[in-house]
Amino acid sequence: DLEAANKDAVALKFLDKLDWSQVYSADARLGFAFNDHLSAFLEGSYETLLSGHGDEDAYDTTTGEQTGHYENSAGAGMQVASLKVGLKGNF
């Protein structure tokens, strides 16, 4: 019965506590001047966050009571890359 199941349902909130992690990034730029007023450029960048790990706690949102603690169950990682190509003019 769905109504009976909803009476026993508990709304939970999860709170992750991640440890410090390492971030690495690299940037490069290349340009070529056609003349004193016009140049072309190519730029690139890359950034990565090595997998961070941590603990996770669960809380009952109605009572605020902690309902669980999970060691090393949380994690995060990130990778970002960008590329820009364009022309620059000086007038």
Side-chain angles (χ1 to χ4, degrees), residues 3 10 24 31 42 67 83 90-91:
E3 190 173 310
V10 175
Y24 294 100
L42 172 66
T67 60
L83 180 64
N90 295 323
F91 300 100

Side-chain angles (χ1 to χ4, degrees), residues 2-19:
L2 184 59
E3 190 173 310
N6 284 337
K7 288 180 184 178
D8 296 332
V10 175
L12 296 176
K13 174 176 75 172
F14 294 92
L15 178 63
D16 297 333
K17 297 175 185 173
L18 297 176
D19 296 329

Side-chain angles (χ1 to χ4, degrees), residues 21-59:
S21 184
Q22 296 173 339
V23 176
Y24 294 100
S25 64
D27 299 309
R29 181 177 182 161
L30 178 64
F32 178 78
F34 297 108
N35 55 41
D36 290 342
H37 301 287
L38 183 64
S39 63
F41 69 91
L42 172 66
E43 296 178 10
S45 67
Y46 177 76
E47 185 175 343
T48 184
L49 168 73
L50 298 182
S51 297
H53 299 284
D55 301 336
E56 185 173 49
D57 294 325
Y59 295 90

